[in-house]
DNA sequence: CGAGTCGGTTGCGATTCGCAACCAACCCCC
DNA sequence: GGGGGTTGGTTGCGAATCGCAACCGACTCG
């Protein structure tokens, strides 16, 4: 259980903060990437990532506790478990894709960035927020949040970086 | 300069890995969130986040070195600098939004998840990968990557978690 | 019985973090 | 021209975390 500072001193806790409290660890997103890919068993993940076993135990425990993955038996005699994504965990897919896309586009060793494409039609996917009724990409400045009951988070605007 | 293990033992470095090498730190994404919001000066960020100054110095240095932000003077006499997003940094916007969205939807303290909406028309934004030619959301299984020259990354599929 | 696998737990040295103190450059003000 | 304030750091040090290796219990197979 990697505890953060009990109260991040001045910033009110925003969505990013809460998200990072769950997955903002050096290993956690890599573990989740493996689980997304179908690498679900302790030893598989451990071998694939090269993570220390005690850390993997710890991170998987946190993820289970957070409800991102669940520990289900995949065989009896001997009973063995695997870790599966919950609904909450599957909901991370867009974020993981966006991070992957960014790494491809901006951190590739060879110069050429790769693209994500839609298998069926070969269209390049941008992963921009896309408005289904206006049918075009939505700039970060045109996005706001609609809180359930009176809460809002700080605006994140790329154009504020002018 | 927070060094990772020199060679992440068995996993070949994938896009997620490379991305996390740049922003996979407990503080870095929070720093970037601030910069996106327009909080660009050292002392502002430091105060807003409550991060230790030596760590902030270190993280900002890494981000500058990675080309995610740049350090530009915003006044002479005395010369003072601020940190601005580069093109590369602005490209993180979809990822940041996706993470924020997830935190809103799944980690809110009060029960009701907030939604992202398009200002102009009020449409709820899902941040799913959206195919502009098919005009519908693209499931993770239908996404593949088109590498520039011979490289590919592992498929990330939410449905593999069946 | 002995060896092997899976999924951990325990101990310990090395790294990193968080905090507080200090500092250099520059400003303003008297 | 000395005192005080702000900005953007640097340095030192104790505490928490990490990474590695060793060990372990349950179980299976030969």
């Amino acid at each position: 259980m990697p505890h953060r500072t009990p109260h991040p001193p001045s910033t009110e806790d925003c969505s990013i903060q809460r998200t990072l409290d769950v997955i903002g660890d050096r290993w956690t997103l890599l573990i989740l990437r493996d689980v997304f890919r179908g690498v679900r068993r302790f030893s598989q993940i451990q071998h694939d990532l090269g993570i220390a076993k005690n850390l993997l135990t710890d991170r998987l425990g946190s993820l289970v506790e957070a409800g991102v993955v669940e520990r289900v038996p995949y065989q009896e005699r001997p009973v063995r478990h695997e870790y599966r994504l919950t609904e909450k965990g599957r909901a991370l897919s867009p974020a993981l894709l966006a991070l992957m896309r960014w790494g491809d586009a901006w951190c590739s060793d060879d110069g050429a960035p790769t693209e994500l494409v839609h298998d069926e039609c070969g269209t390049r996917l941008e992963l921009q927020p896309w408005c289904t009724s206006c049918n075009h990409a939505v700039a970060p400045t045109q996005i706001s949040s609609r809180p359930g009951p009176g809460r809002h988070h700080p605006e994140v605007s790329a154009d504020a970086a002018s």
Side-chain angles (χ1 to χ4, degrees), chain A residues 56-118:
Chain A
L56 183 54
T57 302
D58 190 79
R59 295 302 175 273
L60 284 171
S62 299
L63 285 174
V64 168
E65 194 183 355
V68 176
V69 299
E70 54 191 352
R71 190 164 174 269
V72 298
Y74 66 91
Q75 69 171 33
E76 313 289 334
R77 326 217 47 76
V79 62
R80 297 249 188 274
H81 299 88
E82 64 180 11
Y83 296 88
R84 296 195 183 191
L85 293 168
T86 61
E87 177 76 12
K88 184 175 177 180
R90 279 190 293 276
L92 273 169
S93 163
L96 223 42
L97 277 170
L99 289 169
M100 197 171 74
R101 173 86 184 92
W102 187 81
D104 270 341
W106 295 93
C107 300
S108 59
D109 308 330
D110 40 23
T114 60
E115 307 169 330
L116 293 179
V117 296
H118 184 196

Side-chain angles (χ1 to χ4, degrees), chain A residues 2-79:
Chain A
H3 269 272
R4 323 295 176 202
T5 25
H7 271 302
S10 67
T11 191
E12 88 278 33
D13 70 336
C14 79
S15 330
I16 300 273
Q17 177 77 64
R18 283 194 301 270
T19 299
L20 293 181
D21 281 346
V22 178
I23 55 146
D25 177 81
R26 174 146 68 263
W27 290 109
T28 303
L29 274 180
L30 289 172
I31 294 170
L32 287 175
R33 180 206 59 178
D34 269 9
V35 178
F36 266 101
R37 283 166 56 202
V39 181
R40 290 194 268 268
R41 281 150 65 167
F42 186 92
S43 56
Q44 288 178 328
I45 300 173
Q46 197 262 321
H47 177 260
D48 184 56
L49 257 43
I51 184 180
K53 294 163 100 185
N54 53 351
L55 291 191
L56 183 54
T57 302
D58 190 79
R59 295 302 175 273
L60 284 171
S62 299
L63 285 174
V64 168
E65 194 183 355
V68 176
V69 299
E70 54 191 352
R71 190 164 174 269
V72 298
Y74 66 91
Q75 69 171 33
E76 313 289 334
R77 326 217 47 76
V79 62

